[in-house]
Amino acid sequence: MLWRTSCRSDFCQNRRLLLLGCVVPCVLCSYIDNIDCIGPYRWSRPSYDDPFFPPLRNFHSASVVGSDIYIFVGKLGNTIFNDIHVFHTLTGKWEKIKPTSDQGSLPQSRYSHAAAVVGTNIFIFGGYNGSKDLNDVFMFDTEERSWIKIVPK
């Protein structure tokens, strides 16, 4: 297994620790590795032949909600993404989500942001859009598949 930095998801399911995406020296990875987290501690790379596998990226967030892993934005070279994908760990399938917004306000493209899960909601804070630091908060409702801009009072 390759030494890596900047891995974005650690998720233990059915005795398997999933590591999603990474940056290894001079290589950007976009695959899933897993290791038996109880023993005998062997690495494997499942074959996920899926046309919805998201584009390569780094500096994204990966948030675990239930048995799903949500990948939000990130960048590759000069391309800054503004998308959200979900990996359904029970089926091994990817899905690109087309979110809505009740307020007409979707988060802008960004990377190096913070993400936190509360219940079935993913909160996104800050990041960098390629020209300035961002200081905003959005909540993604994974059940409604919609964004809400959070305005602190």
Side-chain angles (χ1 to χ4, degrees):
M1 194 52 41
L2 294 172
W3 173 79
R4 56 177 83 207
T5 63
S6 190
C7 293
R8 291 296 177 196
S9 184
D10 303 330
F11 177 63
C12 198
Q13 175 206 34
N14 295 334
R15 298 179 47 168
R16 307 298 290 173
L17 176 67
L18 303 178
L19 300 173
L20 175 61
C22 64
V23 177
V24 297
C26 304
V27 178
L28 176 63
C29 308
S30 186
Y31 49 72
I32 297 174
D33 288 320
N34 62 55
I35 187 171
D36 188 325
C37 54
I38 306 250
Y41 310 111
R42 281 180 263 187
W43 285 102
S44 64
R45 182 171 297 150
S47 174
Y48 295 111
D49 184 22
D50 192 333
F52 298 106
F53 200 92
L56 293 172
R57 66 189 63 212
N58 55 15
F59 303 105
H60 57 282
S61 60
S63 304
V64 176
V65 177
S67 60
D68 295 330
I69 304 174
Y70 290 81
I71 305 300
F72 177 62
V73 299
K75 69 176 284 200
L76 175 61
N78 292 327
T79 302
I80 304 172
F81 295 102
N82 194 15
D83 56 2
I84 188 165
H85 299 261
V86 60
F87 178 66
H88 303 286
T89 64
L90 298 178
T91 63
K93 298 291 182 192
W94 283 97
E95 177 186 2
K96 182 172 183 179
I97 296 177
K98 295 180 181 167
T100 61
S101 171
D102 294 338
Q103 305 165 334
S105 181
L106 298 172
Q108 64 180 286
S109 299
R110 67 188 64 211
Y111 61 95
S112 296
H113 56 284
V117 175
V118 178
T120 58
N121 298 318
I122 302 170
F123 289 82
I124 302 295
F125 170 72
Y128 187 71
N129 70 1
S131 61
K132 68 177 183 171
D133 291 320
L134 302 172
N135 188 26
D136 54 5
V137 179
F138 286 85
M139 182 188 81
F140 182 69
D141 182 328
T142 63
E143 294 175 342
E144 297 294 323
R145 295 186 167 202
S146 65
W147 284 106
I148 297 171
K149 184 170 185 175
I150 306 296
V151 180
K153 296 185 182 198

